Each structure stands twice: as C-alpha cells, then as structure tokens.
Amino acid sequence: MSETGIPTEKESEFTMLFKQLAVPLASEVVDVDLSRSLDDDSFKAIDEAFNDRGVLVFRGQQITPEQHIRFSRRFGELEIHVLKQYLLADAPEILVISNMMKDGKPVGIADAGQQWHTDLSYVEKPSRCSILYAKEIPAPGRDQTYGDTCFVSTEAAYDSLDPDMKAYLGTLQAKHSYLKRPHIRKKLSEEQKQAVPDVIHPVIRTHPVTGRKCVYVNESFTTEIIGLKPDESDALIRQLCALCESERFMYRHKWRVGDILMWDNCSTQHLAVADYGPDQHRLMNRTTVAGPAVF
C-alpha cells in the first residue's frame, strides 16, 4: 500500500489513505471508523503501514472501552500495567492517564511519559505497541497547543551512525530498570517492585517484524551499559539518548479530542510535553499490546 492509498500490487476491493506526517515516521490513517470491526484486508493494510511508519494517527474517533480493547487485540495479547490503581475499573486492560482528581484521589497517572522513553523497556518482553485514546485535552490557546506528544525514530537514529559505531554498539548490552526514577519508586509497594526486576537488553535491537535495527537505550529506564566503567557507561547513554532525541528524527503530535494514536515500542521513543497546569484537564485511555523478547 502506498502513502497515497493507491494499491501497489493488484486491484483491491477497498481503499485506504495513509497521509505521511513526518519524513522519518508517522502517518495519519484517513476515514477509518475504529468503533466498527475491521475486515481482514483493512486490518492488514493498517498493520503493514504501522510496521513501516512506527506511528499511526486516527482522527475523530468515538469509541467505548470495549471497542478500544477489541481494536487493540487485533495486534496481540494485551498487558495489565503494574500500577493497578490507575486501571479502568471494568476494563483492566486500559490504563488511565490523567491529571484530574475524583474524591480527592487521582483519576490516572498524571506524569506519564514526561521523559523520553519506550514503554516497558524494563521488562523481559517489552510491549509491541501502545494505543492511546484522547478523551479530554488541555484547551489550545490562540497560537499554542498544550500536552503535545513527541515521537522519534530509533531506526533513523541507528541508520545515521557510521559503520564502526554500529559494529561497536552491536556488541553491547544495557540494563533497564523501572525503578530508575525516584518518583516512580515512591508509588510502588514492595510487591510491585518485586514484579518489575531489572532486565538486560542489547543496545541495538532488531525489529521483530521488519528486521530493521533500532537504538534501544532511553533516558527513563536505561541505567548502565554492561561491562563499561560507570563514567564511560553514563557518557555513552547520554550520547545515544541525545542522538535519538534529535529533532531531525521527530514527529510532534498536537492532540485533538477523539484522536487515537498508536506507536511501535521497538522503533520509536516518545515524550509527553508537560506544559499545562492542573486546571487544564487531560484524560486519556491506553492499551498496551504484548511483544516478544528483545534480540
């Protein structure tokens, strides 16, 4: 399927338009209603575009939690987040992300994603993708939106490296920890901490579908490069994070109510821009699709 929506190999019984949003990653899927079940051909086109582009955007959606879960399950089994206090009561597959309060308690995770990261890199089998549905967003100003989410292509970052650096990084492994950030540790019980032990992954990860190479180091969860001295490890992590976070590999999403956005947790990293106050409400539902072991 081409970016214009014109079938590239043979006549098709359906038409689907994919609008490119940025050069290295991200496309909008036009005129698709995700409240309805997708036929196999439509899903295949979406799945192929997702593997190719890393980020897909669906505008103007109105879905129930059940429809959100149904669409997400087309991509694989769903995971239940360790912070169970923020799961939707009747649908634990959905994690609530929000800065809103109810009866004096937070409705969801208020500070989710405010450092560059890839979801669940701190587990043995990180998630394949995450699917986020915007129910309420901070109202935009005359010349500004609030609460944007930035995405970068870790495939493009890898491709920019010189051959010697690619070869060197291909020999390294890194430790990832959910407990790297102090504010996360404070939220967890001892039982929850034990449920997320540190893991070791290759610094250069292979995409399980496309076979492309991706830099798999992020500032939120990567704590050390195995076998290097602490100062060397810290310097290399900073170097790789700075590379991945470059604007030349970036798509910045400006949210609208009704947006559904899904991203690949192997080939991308993302950052939620925290430029809004507590009175500017944000409410989003997220599902997380399970993935394979890293290689």
Side-chain angles (χ1 to χ4, degrees):
M1 180 68 67
S2 72
E3 288 290 346
T4 63
I6 300 173
T8 56
E9 295 182 358
K10 63 180 181 179
E11 291 295 320
S12 175
E13 295 179 356
F14 71 101
T15 301
M16 188 172 293
L17 178 66
F18 296 91
K19 178 182 177 183
Q20 183 171 306
L21 298 173
V23 172
L25 78 170
S27 287
E28 179 182 350
V29 188
V30 181
D31 294 332
V32 173
D33 182 357
L34 296 184
S35 70
R36 300 180 179 182
S37 296
L38 293 171
D39 61 77
D40 290 343
D41 284 341
S42 296
F43 174 74
K44 181 180 179 182
I46 289 173
D47 192 39
E48 289 177 350
F50 177 63
N51 289 325
D52 181 54
R53 300 293 295 158
V55 175
L56 291 183
V57 178
F58 306 82
R59 298 280 197 183
Q61 303 295 315
Q62 293 184 343
I63 59 170
T64 65
E66 292 76 17
Q67 291 164 344
H68 189 172
I69 291 168
R70 181 186 66 199
F71 173 66
S72 303
R73 280 195 173 130
R74 295 295 296 270
F75 296 91
E77 294 295 321
L78 301 189
E79 298 185 325
I80 307 299
H81 199 277
V82 67
L83 295 178
K84 299 187 185 301
Q85 64 268 39
Y86 300 129
L87 303 179
L88 207 60
D90 298 327
E93 299 90 346
I94 291 179
L95 176 70
V96 179
I97 297 173
S98 180
N99 63 343
M100 300 167 65
M101 305 288 289
K102 183 177 181 180
D103 300 327
K105 296 181 179 180
V107 170
I109 303 177
D111 58 356
Q114 294 180 6
Q115 287 182 304
W116 284 104
H117 68 291
T118 179
D119 293 336
L120 275 70
S121 75
Y122 51 83
V123 300
E124 183 181 355
K125 295 182 178 180
S127 61
R128 177 189 178 190
C129 63
S130 304
I131 303 175
L132 189 61
Y133 174 43
K135 301 186 70 176
E136 189 168 347
I137 62 170
R142 179 177 298 178
D143 301 312
Q144 182 179 358
T145 57
Y146 298 95
D148 297 351
T149 303
C150 298
F151 295 86
V152 288
S153 170
T154 56
E155 289 181 356
Y158 174 81
D159 290 343
S160 73
L161 296 168
D162 65 54
D164 289 342
M165 191 62 168
K166 288 178 179 177
Y168 172 61
L169 295 177
T171 68
L172 299 178
Q173 294 181 311
K175 182 180 290 186
H176 295 246
S177 175
Y178 187 56
L179 306 181
K180 179 180 180 181
R181 292 179 286 172
H183 74 281
I184 287 182
R185 291 197 298 268
K186 292 178 182 179
K187 294 179 180 178
L188 300 183
S189 66
E190 287 304 315
E191 182 180 359
Q192 288 174 320
K193 290 177 183 178
Q194 293 175 11
V196 283
D198 294 352
V199 296
I200 294 175
H201 295 310
V203 167
I204 302 302
R205 181 179 178 182
T206 302
H207 193 282
V209 177
T210 67
R212 297 171 186 162
K213 301 292 185 180
C214 311
V215 178
Y216 203 61
V217 168
N218 66 82
E219 68 177 8
S220 286
F221 303 124
T222 307
T223 58
E224 65 175 292
I225 308 295
I226 304 300
L228 298 188
K229 295 179 180 179
D231 57 339
E232 295 174 339
S233 170
D234 291 345
L236 184 55
I237 290 173
R238 288 194 299 270
Q239 178 184 349
L240 292 176
C241 288
L243 172 70
C244 289
E245 297 160 17
S246 171
E247 289 190 7
R248 60 186 167 137
F249 307 134
M250 188 178 298
Y251 164 66
R252 182 166 179 146
H253 185 71
K254 299 181 181 297
W255 288 96
R256 304 174 194 167
V257 171
D259 282 357
I260 292 177
L261 194 149
M262 61 184 296
W263 59 89
D264 187 306
N265 282 311
C266 173
S267 64
T268 74
Q269 291 185 25
H270 59 284
L271 166 75
V273 180
D275 58 354
Y276 53 93
D279 57 332
Q280 295 174 283
H281 289 168
R282 187 174 189 257
L283 177 62
M284 300 189 172
N285 287 349
R286 193 190 86 184
T287 54
T288 305
V289 179
V294 176
F295 62 94

